[in-house]
Amino acid sequence: MTLSEVLSNLVSDRFYEMVFLHEKRKNKMKIVMLGAPGAGKGTQAKMIAEKYTIPHISTGDIFRANIKEGTPLGLEAKSYMDQGKLVPDELTVKILLDRVAKDDCRNGYVLDGFPRTIPQANVLKEALEKQNDKIDYAINVDVPDENIVRRMSGRRACVTCGATYHIEHVPPKKEGICDKCGSELILRDDDKPETVLNRLKIYHDQTQPLIDFYSNEGILKEVDGTIDVKDVFENITKILG
Ligand code: AP5
Ligand code: MG
């Protein structure tokens, strides 16, 4: 073999490897975030979406946007959310499947707050299987209940863009004002302590079983959510590569 043939083979192997790895990564970014209310799913999902250039899809954010616009969906969702209850599966599943069918989801997405019940997980699994596809990672952000109520009462959310802060751990530059868009920051209605306790109970009854569901699928990854936001993210990027 001549030197130029050897070089050409090396280049094509390297090229193949680059393309292959790129394709592999592109197809390996369907992520589900698991964790109790307030565990930091939204905080981490936003950072994942930015780093890997995939959409961040939060069913809670979709409902809150509808509430703000006063749509029929928003009105219906609000009646459940204000009590800390789950919005019925029929409503939630349709919204989610419509969203992941959009063009920007073809290289993956990070789901935050969906699935939240075993039936939701099964519907998602079946819908993906029909396209010969699957979820690649389920990341459980683990935070014990005792930390949750304290965290939620300190959370502040932007009324306009939905960005979240924490008065102690992730404070905005100017108190009560969103760094990103300058709007007012508020305590979400469902972050009041009595509603948080109800959300936690529902989490343990209906959502926590998803940890076993995804463990059985062989894609569960656990991260400690009690450490600093940046360190949680660093541990997630070690998993995602
Ligand atoms: P949703 O909006 O999904 O609420 P949730 O699951 O209760 O979760 P949160 O958004 O409250 O918490 P998070 O884990 O995103 O934490 P965050 O990053 O903000 O859903 C709301 C409601 O909509 C539900 O109750 C339900 O009614 C309905 N709904 C939505 N999806 C549904 C579905 N699939 N089916 C049925 N109903 C559905 O962080 C929390 C706070 O902690 C912030 O202040 C943050 O700054 C701070 N923080 C984050 N990480 C850290 C850290 N490492 N250290 C210290 N502070 C931190
Ligand atoms: Mg959230």
Side-chain angles (χ1 to χ4, degrees):
M1 199 183 278
T2 65
L3 181 62
S4 81
E5 279 169 340
V6 170
L7 281 176
S8 146
N9 279 349
L10 272 178
V11 169
S12 65
D13 281 356
R14 181 82 192 108
F15 180 72
Y16 173 79
E17 197 180 302
M18 277 164 63
V19 171
F20 176 73
L21 285 178
H22 182 65
E23 284 301 312
K24 195 172 158 211
R25 165 166 294 188
K26 254 175 46 178
N27 296 327
K28 278 277 175 198
M29 280 296 162
K30 293 195 177 67
I31 303 163
V32 160
M33 301 301 291
L34 298 175
K41 302 180 295 295
T43 303
Q44 298 298 328
K46 285 188 185 95
M47 295 162 87
I48 294 171
E50 200 173 316
K51 179 171 168 74
Y52 297 97
T53 349
I54 50 175
H56 164 215
I57 301 175
S58 154
T59 36
D61 286 351
I62 295 174
F63 291 137
R64 280 184 288 277
N66 275 275
I67 292 172
K68 203 170 147 210
E69 285 163 25
T71 67
L73 167 69
L75 272 179
E76 181 158 7
K78 187 170 169 35
S79 64
Y80 297 97
M81 289 167 75
D82 282 354
Q83 298 173 62
K85 290 184 180 162
L86 294 185
V87 178
D89 285 346
E90 307 80 74
L91 268 185
T92 313
V93 158
K94 183 175 178 334
I95 288 164
L96 192 277
L97 292 184
D98 285 350
R99 179 63 189 90
V100 295
K102 294 219 160 94
D103 218 32
D104 63 336
C105 291
R106 65 181 182 281
N107 293 338
Y109 40 76
V110 50
L111 300 184
D112 158 21
F114 187 100
R116 243 185 172 91
T117 62
I118 296 284
Q120 289 182 13
N122 276 321
V123 171
L124 178 63
K125 184 178 173 192
E126 282 158 23
L128 288 171
E129 273 172 359
K130 279 187 194 144
Q131 300 157 27
N132 222 355
D133 210 344
K134 62 178 184 53
I135 293 295
D136 304 298
Y137 300 97
I139 300 175
N140 184 39
V141 184
D142 187 31
V143 176
D145 285 9
E146 19 328 346
N147 299 28
I148 296 286
V149 180
R150 203 161 8 125
R151 247 195 212 186
M152 304 298 249
S153 58
R155 172 163 63 181
R156 296 294 177 272
C158 174
V159 286
T160 305
C161 73
T164 49
Y165 300 86
H166 190 280
I167 50 178
E168 282 169 52
H169 309 297
V170 191
K173 291 194 185 93
K174 193 168 170 214
E175 199 186 317
I177 302 292
C178 179
D179 292 350
K180 297 194 174 110
C181 72
S183 300
E184 184 198 358
L185 299 178
I186 55 152
L187 178 70
R188 255 166 55 179
D189 279 345
D190 60 345
D191 279 351
K192 298 189 173 125
E194 58 284 10
T195 316
V196 170
L197 290 177
N198 204 19
R199 284 162 66 192
L200 267 174
K201 185 181 177 318
I202 287 175
Y203 165 76
H204 289 299
D205 290 349
Q206 299 198 48
T207 309
Q208 205 173 18
L210 291 171
I211 295 177
D212 282 344
F213 178 97
Y214 284 112
S215 172
N216 291 335
E217 298 276 305
I219 57 166
L220 180 74
K221 307 284 172 189
E222 298 266 5
V223 291
D224 177 1
T226 62
I227 57 178
D228 190 78
V229 171
K230 286 195 198 73
D231 297 328
V232 179
F233 186 58
E234 199 183 313
N235 290 336
I236 291 178
T237 56
K238 281 185 196 148
I239 293 166
L240 299 178

